[in-house]
Short mmCIF file of all heavy atoms in Angstrom, two decimals:
data_model
loop_
_atom_site.label_atom_id
_atom_site.label_comp_id
_atom_site.label_asym_id
_atom_site.label_seq_id
_atom_site.Cartn_x
_atom_site.Cartn_y
_atom_site.Cartn_z
N LEU B 34 4.37 -19.54 7.64
CA LEU B 34 3.52 -20.53 8.34
C LEU B 34 3.47 -21.85 7.55
O LEU B 34 3.54 -22.93 8.14
CB LEU B 34 2.10 -19.93 8.49
CG LEU B 34 1.28 -20.37 9.69
CD1 LEU B 34 2.04 -20.15 10.99
CD2 LEU B 34 -0.04 -19.60 9.74
N ALA B 35 3.40 -21.71 6.22
CA ALA B 35 3.39 -22.91 5.37
C ALA B 35 4.73 -23.65 5.47
O ALA B 35 4.79 -24.88 5.50
CB ALA B 35 3.10 -22.53 3.93
N MET B 36 5.82 -22.86 5.57
CA MET B 36 7.15 -23.45 5.71
C MET B 36 7.28 -24.17 7.04
O MET B 36 7.89 -25.26 7.12
CB MET B 36 8.21 -22.34 5.61
CG MET B 36 8.38 -21.78 4.21
SD MET B 36 9.47 -20.35 4.18
CE MET B 36 9.64 -20.09 2.40
N ALA B 37 6.71 -23.56 8.08
CA ALA B 37 6.74 -24.19 9.41
C ALA B 37 6.03 -25.55 9.38
O ALA B 37 6.50 -26.53 9.94
CB ALA B 37 6.07 -23.28 10.44
N SER B 38 4.93 -25.60 8.65
CA SER B 38 4.17 -26.84 8.52
C SER B 38 4.98 -27.89 7.77
O SER B 38 5.09 -29.05 8.21
CB SER B 38 2.83 -26.57 7.82
OG SER B 38 2.26 -27.78 7.36
N TRP B 39 5.55 -27.46 6.63
CA TRP B 39 6.33 -28.43 5.82
C TRP B 39 7.50 -29.00 6.61
O TRP B 39 7.73 -30.20 6.63
CB TRP B 39 6.83 -27.75 4.54
CG TRP B 39 7.43 -28.72 3.57
CD1 TRP B 39 6.75 -29.36 2.56
CD2 TRP B 39 8.79 -29.17 3.53
NE1 TRP B 39 7.63 -30.20 1.89
CE2 TRP B 39 8.89 -30.10 2.47
CE3 TRP B 39 9.93 -28.91 4.30
CZ2 TRP B 39 10.09 -30.76 2.13
CZ3 TRP B 39 11.12 -29.57 3.97
CH2 TRP B 39 11.18 -30.48 2.90
N CYS B 40 8.23 -28.12 7.32
CA CYS B 40 9.39 -28.56 8.09
C CYS B 40 8.96 -29.52 9.21
O CYS B 40 9.59 -30.54 9.45
CB CYS B 40 10.12 -27.36 8.66
SG CYS B 40 11.02 -26.43 7.44
N ASN B 41 7.88 -29.18 9.86
CA ASN B 41 7.36 -30.02 10.92
C ASN B 41 7.00 -31.42 10.40
O ASN B 41 7.39 -32.43 10.97
CB ASN B 41 6.13 -29.36 11.54
CG ASN B 41 5.55 -30.15 12.71
OD1 ASN B 41 4.98 -31.23 12.47
ND2 ASN B 41 5.70 -29.66 13.91
N ARG B 42 6.32 -31.45 9.27
CA ARG B 42 5.87 -32.73 8.68
C ARG B 42 7.05 -33.57 8.22
O ARG B 42 6.96 -34.80 8.14
CB ARG B 42 4.94 -32.47 7.49
CG ARG B 42 3.51 -32.14 7.92
CD ARG B 42 2.63 -31.90 6.69
NE ARG B 42 2.82 -30.59 6.12
CZ ARG B 42 3.06 -30.36 4.82
NH1 ARG B 42 3.20 -31.35 3.99
NH2 ARG B 42 3.19 -29.13 4.40
N ASN B 43 8.15 -32.90 7.89
CA ASN B 43 9.31 -33.64 7.39
C ASN B 43 10.39 -33.89 8.42
O ASN B 43 11.50 -34.28 8.11
CB ASN B 43 9.86 -32.94 6.16
CG ASN B 43 8.93 -33.13 4.95
OD1 ASN B 43 9.01 -34.13 4.25
ND2 ASN B 43 8.05 -32.18 4.74
N GLY B 44 10.05 -33.61 9.66
CA GLY B 44 10.96 -33.94 10.76
C GLY B 44 12.01 -32.89 11.07
O GLY B 44 12.98 -33.17 11.80
N PHE B 45 11.88 -31.69 10.53
CA PHE B 45 12.85 -30.64 10.82
C PHE B 45 12.28 -29.69 11.90
O PHE B 45 11.80 -28.60 11.59
CB PHE B 45 13.23 -29.86 9.55
CG PHE B 45 13.76 -30.73 8.46
CD1 PHE B 45 13.10 -30.90 7.26
CD2 PHE B 45 15.00 -31.38 8.62
CE1 PHE B 45 13.59 -31.71 6.26
CE2 PHE B 45 15.50 -32.19 7.61
CZ PHE B 45 14.80 -32.36 6.42
N ASP B 46 12.38 -30.14 13.13
CA ASP B 46 11.70 -29.44 14.22
C ASP B 46 12.26 -28.05 14.51
O ASP B 46 11.50 -27.11 14.77
CB ASP B 46 11.76 -30.27 15.51
CG ASP B 46 10.79 -31.44 15.43
OD1 ASP B 46 9.97 -31.44 14.48
OD2 ASP B 46 10.87 -32.35 16.29
N TYR B 47 13.58 -27.91 14.46
CA TYR B 47 14.17 -26.57 14.75
C TYR B 47 13.78 -25.58 13.69
O TYR B 47 13.44 -24.43 13.99
CB TYR B 47 15.69 -26.68 14.86
CG TYR B 47 16.16 -27.42 16.09
CD1 TYR B 47 16.59 -28.74 16.03
CD2 TYR B 47 16.17 -26.78 17.34
CE1 TYR B 47 17.01 -29.42 17.16
CE2 TYR B 47 16.59 -27.44 18.50
CZ TYR B 47 17.00 -28.77 18.40
OH TYR B 47 17.42 -29.44 19.51
N SER B 48 13.86 -26.02 12.46
CA SER B 48 13.48 -25.13 11.33
C SER B 48 12.01 -24.76 11.42
O SER B 48 11.63 -23.61 11.19
CB SER B 48 13.76 -25.80 10.01
OG SER B 48 15.14 -26.11 9.89
N SER B 49 11.18 -25.73 11.79
CA SER B 49 9.75 -25.47 11.94
C SER B 49 9.54 -24.36 12.97
O SER B 49 8.81 -23.41 12.73
CB SER B 49 9.04 -26.74 12.36
OG SER B 49 7.67 -26.47 12.56
N GLU B 50 10.22 -24.51 14.09
CA GLU B 50 10.11 -23.52 15.16
C GLU B 50 10.59 -22.14 14.68
O GLU B 50 9.97 -21.12 14.97
CB GLU B 50 10.97 -24.00 16.36
CG GLU B 50 10.51 -23.57 17.71
CD GLU B 50 8.98 -23.49 17.86
OE1 GLU B 50 8.28 -24.51 17.69
OE2 GLU B 50 8.53 -22.37 18.12
N TYR B 51 11.69 -22.17 13.94
CA TYR B 51 12.25 -20.92 13.38
C TYR B 51 11.21 -20.21 12.49
O TYR B 51 11.01 -19.01 12.57
CB TYR B 51 13.51 -21.30 12.57
CG TYR B 51 14.11 -20.20 11.73
CD1 TYR B 51 14.96 -19.25 12.31
CD2 TYR B 51 13.87 -20.15 10.34
CE1 TYR B 51 15.55 -18.26 11.52
CE2 TYR B 51 14.47 -19.13 9.57
CZ TYR B 51 15.29 -18.20 10.15
OH TYR B 51 15.86 -17.22 9.37
N PHE B 52 10.54 -21.00 11.63
CA PHE B 52 9.55 -20.37 10.74
C PHE B 52 8.28 -19.94 11.47
O PHE B 52 7.67 -18.94 11.07
CB PHE B 52 9.23 -21.32 9.57
CG PHE B 52 10.35 -21.42 8.57
CD1 PHE B 52 10.92 -22.65 8.22
CD2 PHE B 52 10.85 -20.27 7.97
CE1 PHE B 52 11.96 -22.72 7.31
CE2 PHE B 52 11.89 -20.34 7.05
CZ PHE B 52 12.44 -21.56 6.72
N PHE B 53 7.92 -20.66 12.51
CA PHE B 53 6.78 -20.21 13.32
C PHE B 53 7.07 -18.79 13.88
O PHE B 53 6.22 -17.91 13.88
CB PHE B 53 6.49 -21.18 14.48
CG PHE B 53 5.48 -22.23 14.11
CD1 PHE B 53 5.86 -23.60 14.11
CD2 PHE B 53 4.18 -21.89 13.77
CE1 PHE B 53 4.94 -24.58 13.78
CE2 PHE B 53 3.26 -22.89 13.44
CZ PHE B 53 3.64 -24.23 13.42
N LYS B 54 8.30 -18.66 14.37
CA LYS B 54 8.71 -17.36 14.93
C LYS B 54 8.71 -16.27 13.84
O LYS B 54 8.24 -15.16 14.06
CB LYS B 54 10.09 -17.48 15.57
CG LYS B 54 10.07 -17.13 17.06
CD LYS B 54 11.47 -17.15 17.65
CE LYS B 54 11.73 -18.45 18.40
NZ LYS B 54 13.16 -18.80 18.50
N GLN B 55 9.23 -16.64 12.68
CA GLN B 55 9.24 -15.67 11.56
C GLN B 55 7.83 -15.24 11.19
O GLN B 55 7.58 -14.08 10.93
CB GLN B 55 9.96 -16.29 10.34
CG GLN B 55 11.45 -16.38 10.47
CD GLN B 55 12.14 -15.02 10.65
OE1 GLN B 55 12.75 -14.75 11.66
NE2 GLN B 55 11.96 -14.14 9.67
N ALA B 56 6.92 -16.22 11.16
CA ALA B 56 5.53 -15.93 10.81
C ALA B 56 4.93 -14.90 11.75
O ALA B 56 4.23 -13.97 11.34
CB ALA B 56 4.70 -17.21 10.80
N GLU B 57 5.25 -15.07 13.03
CA GLU B 57 4.73 -14.15 14.03
C GLU B 57 5.31 -12.73 13.85
O GLU B 57 4.62 -11.74 13.96
CB GLU B 57 5.07 -14.67 15.40
CG GLU B 57 3.88 -14.69 16.34
CD GLU B 57 4.23 -15.48 17.60
OE1 GLU B 57 4.19 -16.72 17.54
OE2 GLU B 57 4.53 -14.82 18.62
N GLU B 58 6.61 -12.70 13.54
CA GLU B 58 7.27 -11.41 13.32
C GLU B 58 6.65 -10.66 12.14
O GLU B 58 6.43 -9.45 12.19
CB GLU B 58 8.77 -11.63 13.02
CG GLU B 58 9.63 -11.52 14.26
CD GLU B 58 11.13 -11.53 13.90
OE1 GLU B 58 11.48 -10.97 12.83
OE2 GLU B 58 11.90 -12.07 14.70
N GLU B 59 6.35 -11.40 11.08
CA GLU B 59 5.78 -10.77 9.87
C GLU B 59 4.39 -10.22 10.18
O GLU B 59 4.00 -9.16 9.70
CB GLU B 59 5.70 -11.76 8.70
CG GLU B 59 7.03 -12.34 8.26
CD GLU B 59 8.05 -11.25 7.88
OE1 GLU B 59 7.67 -10.10 7.60
OE2 GLU B 59 9.25 -11.57 7.89
N ARG B 60 3.66 -10.92 11.01
CA ARG B 60 2.34 -10.45 11.43
C ARG B 60 2.49 -9.13 12.17
O ARG B 60 1.71 -8.20 12.00
CB ARG B 60 1.68 -11.52 12.33
CG ARG B 60 0.47 -11.08 13.08
CD ARG B 60 -0.77 -11.04 12.18
NE ARG B 60 -1.93 -10.60 12.95
CZ ARG B 60 -3.09 -10.27 12.40
NH1 ARG B 60 -3.25 -10.36 11.09
NH2 ARG B 60 -4.08 -9.86 13.11
N HIS B 61 3.51 -9.08 12.99
CA HIS B 61 3.81 -7.86 13.75
C HIS B 61 4.16 -6.69 12.81
O HIS B 61 3.70 -5.58 12.99
CB HIS B 61 4.93 -8.16 14.75
CG HIS B 61 5.51 -6.99 15.44
ND1 HIS B 61 4.78 -6.28 16.37
CD2 HIS B 61 6.69 -6.33 15.32
CE1 HIS B 61 5.52 -5.25 16.80
NE2 HIS B 61 6.67 -5.27 16.18
N HIS B 62 4.94 -7.00 11.76
CA HIS B 62 5.29 -5.98 10.77
C HIS B 62 4.04 -5.46 10.07
O HIS B 62 3.87 -4.28 9.86
CB HIS B 62 6.21 -6.55 9.69
CG HIS B 62 7.56 -7.01 10.21
ND1 HIS B 62 8.41 -7.77 9.50
CD2 HIS B 62 8.17 -6.76 11.40
CE1 HIS B 62 9.49 -8.01 10.21
NE2 HIS B 62 9.35 -7.42 11.36
N GLN B 63 3.15 -6.40 9.73
CA GLN B 63 1.90 -6.05 9.07
C GLN B 63 1.12 -5.05 9.90
O GLN B 63 0.66 -4.03 9.41
CB GLN B 63 1.07 -7.32 8.83
CG GLN B 63 -0.22 -7.05 8.08
CD GLN B 63 -1.22 -8.18 8.23
OE1 GLN B 63 -0.88 -9.30 8.63
NE2 GLN B 63 -2.49 -7.90 7.95
N LEU B 64 0.99 -5.35 11.19
CA LEU B 64 0.21 -4.49 12.07
C LEU B 64 0.86 -3.12 12.25
O LEU B 64 0.16 -2.10 12.37
CB LEU B 64 0.02 -5.14 13.44
CG LEU B 64 -0.90 -6.36 13.46
CD1 LEU B 64 -1.03 -6.91 14.86
CD2 LEU B 64 -2.28 -6.01 12.91
N LYS B 65 2.19 -3.10 12.23
CA LYS B 65 2.90 -1.83 12.36
C LYS B 65 2.56 -0.90 11.19
O LYS B 65 2.25 0.28 11.39
CB LYS B 65 4.42 -2.11 12.38
CG LYS B 65 5.14 -1.58 13.62
CD LYS B 65 6.60 -1.99 13.54
CE LYS B 65 7.49 -0.91 14.11
NZ LYS B 65 7.73 -0.96 15.54
N PHE B 66 2.61 -1.43 9.98
CA PHE B 66 2.22 -0.64 8.81
C PHE B 66 0.74 -0.24 8.90
O PHE B 66 0.39 0.89 8.60
CB PHE B 66 2.46 -1.44 7.49
CG PHE B 66 3.86 -1.38 7.01
CD1 PHE B 66 4.71 -2.48 7.09
CD2 PHE B 66 4.37 -0.20 6.45
CE1 PHE B 66 6.03 -2.42 6.63
CE2 PHE B 66 5.67 -0.14 5.99
CZ PHE B 66 6.50 -1.23 6.07
N TYR B 67 -0.06 -1.19 9.28
CA TYR B 67 -1.52 -0.99 9.34
C TYR B 67 -1.86 0.18 10.28
O TYR B 67 -2.63 1.07 9.91
CB TYR B 67 -2.15 -2.27 9.86
CG TYR B 67 -3.58 -2.50 9.45
CD1 TYR B 67 -3.90 -2.88 8.15
CD2 TYR B 67 -4.60 -2.36 10.38
CE1 TYR B 67 -5.20 -3.11 7.78
CE2 TYR B 67 -5.93 -2.60 10.00
CZ TYR B 67 -6.22 -2.96 8.72
OH TYR B 67 -7.50 -3.21 8.36
N LYS B 68 -1.27 0.15 11.44
CA LYS B 68 -1.58 1.20 12.43
C LYS B 68 -0.99 2.52 12.05
O LYS B 68 -1.58 3.57 12.33
CB LYS B 68 -1.11 0.74 13.81
CG LYS B 68 -2.06 -0.30 14.35
CD LYS B 68 -1.72 -0.81 15.72
CE LYS B 68 -2.76 -1.85 16.15
NZ LYS B 68 -2.27 -2.73 17.19
N TYR B 69 0.15 2.51 11.39
CA TYR B 69 0.75 3.78 10.94
C TYR B 69 -0.20 4.48 9.95
O TYR B 69 -0.44 5.67 10.05
CB TYR B 69 2.11 3.54 10.28
CG TYR B 69 2.76 4.79 9.75
CD1 TYR B 69 3.31 5.74 10.61
CD2 TYR B 69 2.76 5.05 8.36
CE1 TYR B 69 3.87 6.90 10.10
CE2 TYR B 69 3.32 6.21 7.89
CZ TYR B 69 3.87 7.15 8.74
OH TYR B 69 4.42 8.29 8.24
N ILE B 70 -0.73 3.71 8.98
CA ILE B 70 -1.64 4.29 8.00
C ILE B 70 -2.83 4.94 8.72
O ILE B 70 -3.18 6.09 8.43
CB ILE B 70 -2.15 3.20 7.03
CG1 ILE B 70 -1.01 2.62 6.20
CG2 ILE B 70 -3.22 3.77 6.09
CD1 ILE B 70 -1.37 1.38 5.39
N LEU B 71 -3.39 4.22 9.68
CA LEU B 71 -4.55 4.75 10.40
C LEU B 71 -4.18 5.99 11.23
O LEU B 71 -4.87 7.00 11.22
CB LEU B 71 -5.16 3.68 11.32
CG LEU B 71 -5.86 2.53 10.60
CD1 LEU B 71 -6.25 1.47 11.62
CD2 LEU B 71 -7.09 3.02 9.85
N ASP B 72 -3.04 5.89 11.91
CA ASP B 72 -2.59 7.02 12.74
C ASP B 72 -2.41 8.30 11.94
O ASP B 72 -2.63 9.39 12.45
CB ASP B 72 -1.26 6.68 13.45
CG ASP B 72 -1.45 5.67 14.58
OD1 ASP B 72 -2.62 5.33 14.88
OD2 ASP B 72 -0.45 5.19 15.11
N MET B 73 -1.99 8.17 10.68
CA MET B 73 -1.71 9.33 9.85
C MET B 73 -2.96 9.86 9.13
O MET B 73 -2.88 10.77 8.32
CB MET B 73 -0.62 9.03 8.84
CG MET B 73 0.75 8.74 9.47
SD MET B 73 1.27 10.03 10.60
CE MET B 73 1.09 9.18 12.18
N GLY B 74 -4.11 9.22 9.40
CA GLY B 74 -5.35 9.69 8.78
C GLY B 74 -5.72 8.95 7.52
O GLY B 74 -6.63 9.37 6.79
N GLY B 75 -5.02 7.87 7.23
CA GLY B 75 -5.29 7.12 6.01
C GLY B 75 -6.29 5.99 6.23
O GLY B 75 -6.85 5.83 7.32
N ASN B 76 -6.51 5.25 5.16
CA ASN B 76 -7.45 4.11 5.21
C ASN B 76 -6.67 2.80 5.09
O ASN B 76 -6.16 2.48 4.02
CB ASN B 76 -8.46 4.26 4.06
CG ASN B 76 -9.49 3.16 4.06
OD1 ASN B 76 -9.65 2.45 5.06
ND2 ASN B 76 -10.19 3.01 2.96
N ALA B 77 -6.57 2.09 6.20
CA ALA B 77 -5.85 0.80 6.17
C ALA B 77 -6.79 -0.27 5.66
O ALA B 77 -7.92 -0.40 6.11
CB ALA B 77 -5.37 0.46 7.58
N ILE B 78 -6.30 -1.05 4.68
CA ILE B 78 -7.14 -2.09 4.07
C ILE B 78 -6.65 -3.49 4.46
O ILE B 78 -5.48 -3.83 4.25
CB ILE B 78 -7.12 -1.93 2.53
CG1 ILE B 78 -7.71 -0.57 2.16
CG2 ILE B 78 -7.91 -3.05 1.86
CD1 ILE B 78 -7.39 -0.10 0.77
N SER B 79 -7.57 -4.24 5.03
CA SER B 79 -7.23 -5.62 5.43
C SER B 79 -7.03 -6.46 4.16
O SER B 79 -7.92 -6.53 3.34
CB SER B 79 -8.36 -6.20 6.28
OG SER B 79 -8.03 -7.52 6.65
N PRO B 80 -5.84 -7.07 4.01
CA PRO B 80 -5.52 -7.70 2.76
C PRO B 80 -6.06 -9.10 2.58
O PRO B 80 -6.29 -9.82 3.56
CB PRO B 80 -3.99 -7.74 2.79
CG PRO B 80 -3.67 -7.87 4.21
CD PRO B 80 -4.74 -7.18 5.00
N GLU B 81 -6.26 -9.47 1.31
CA GLU B 81 -6.64 -10.83 0.99
C GLU B 81 -5.34 -11.57 0.67
O GLU B 81 -4.55 -11.08 -0.15
CB GLU B 81 -7.51 -10.82 -0.26
CG GLU B 81 -8.93 -11.28 0.00
CD GLU B 81 -9.80 -11.03 -1.22
OE1 GLU B 81 -9.70 -11.78 -2.19
OE2 GLU B 81 -10.57 -10.05 -1.15
N VAL B 82 -5.15 -12.71 1.29
CA VAL B 82 -3.93 -13.44 1.02
C VAL B 82 -4.30 -14.82 0.45
O VAL B 82 -4.96 -15.63 1.11
CB VAL B 82 -3.09 -13.62 2.31
CG1 VAL B 82 -1.87 -14.47 2.02
CG2 VAL B 82 -2.65 -12.25 2.81
N THR B 83 -3.89 -15.06 -0.79
CA THR B 83 -4.21 -16.35 -1.43
C THR B 83 -2.98 -16.90 -2.16
O THR B 83 -1.98 -16.20 -2.34
CB THR B 83 -5.35 -16.18 -2.47
OG1 THR B 83 -5.00 -15.09 -3.32
CG2 THR B 83 -6.67 -15.90 -1.82
N GLY B 84 -3.11 -18.13 -2.58
CA GLY B 84 -2.06 -18.74 -3.39
C GLY B 84 -0.76 -19.04 -2.67
O GLY B 84 0.33 -18.88 -3.21
N ILE B 85 -0.86 -19.44 -1.41
CA ILE B 85 0.35 -19.76 -0.66
C ILE B 85 0.83 -21.16 -1.03
O ILE B 85 0.09 -22.13 -0.98
CB ILE B 85 0.05 -19.71 0.86
CG1 ILE B 85 -0.48 -18.34 1.27
CG2 ILE B 85 1.31 -20.06 1.69
CD1 ILE B 85 0.46 -17.16 1.03
N LYS B 86 2.12 -21.24 -1.39
CA LYS B 86 2.73 -22.53 -1.71
C LYS B 86 2.81 -23.40 -0.45
O LYS B 86 3.33 -22.96 0.56
CB LYS B 86 4.13 -22.22 -2.26
CG LYS B 86 4.99 -23.41 -2.62
CD LYS B 86 6.23 -22.89 -3.36
CE LYS B 86 7.30 -23.96 -3.50
NZ LYS B 86 8.50 -23.41 -4.17
N GLN B 87 2.26 -24.61 -0.54
CA GLN B 87 2.22 -25.47 0.66
C GLN B 87 3.25 -26.61 0.64
O GLN B 87 3.61 -27.14 1.66
CB GLN B 87 0.81 -26.10 0.82
CG GLN B 87 -0.34 -25.11 0.83
CD GLN B 87 -0.41 -24.27 2.09
OE1 GLN B 87 0.18 -24.60 3.09
NE2 GLN B 87 -1.12 -23.17 2.01
N GLU B 88 3.68 -26.96 -0.56
CA GLU B 88 4.60 -28.08 -0.69
C GLU B 88 5.94 -27.63 -1.27
O GLU B 88 6.00 -26.78 -2.15
CB GLU B 88 4.00 -29.16 -1.59
CG GLU B 88 2.78 -29.85 -0.97
CD GLU B 88 3.08 -30.50 0.36
OE1 GLU B 88 4.21 -30.99 0.58
OE2 GLU B 88 2.15 -30.53 1.21
#
Side-chain angles (χ1 to χ4, degrees):
Chain B
L34 210 53
M36 289 172 171
S38 164
W39 189 91
C40 288
N41 182 290
R42 280 181 280 129
N43 287 276
F45 303 115
D46 285 349
Y47 290 101
S48 300
S49 177
E50 209 35 61
Y51 171 82
F52 287 124
F53 269 117
K54 239 184 261 156
Q55 286 299 117
E57 229 168 281
E58 267 189 33
E59 300 304 340
R60 167 78 181 169
H61 171 69
H62 296 166
Q63 183 199 342
L64 291 181
K65 236 177 144 88
F66 277 108
Y67 205 75
K68 285 181 179 158
Y69 177 75
I70 296 169
L71 290 173
D72 288 353
M73 295 307 108
N76 182 15
I78 298 162
S79 180
E81 244 170 77
V82 176
T83 50
I85 303 298
K86 178 170 167 183
Q87 306 289 342
E88 292 303 327

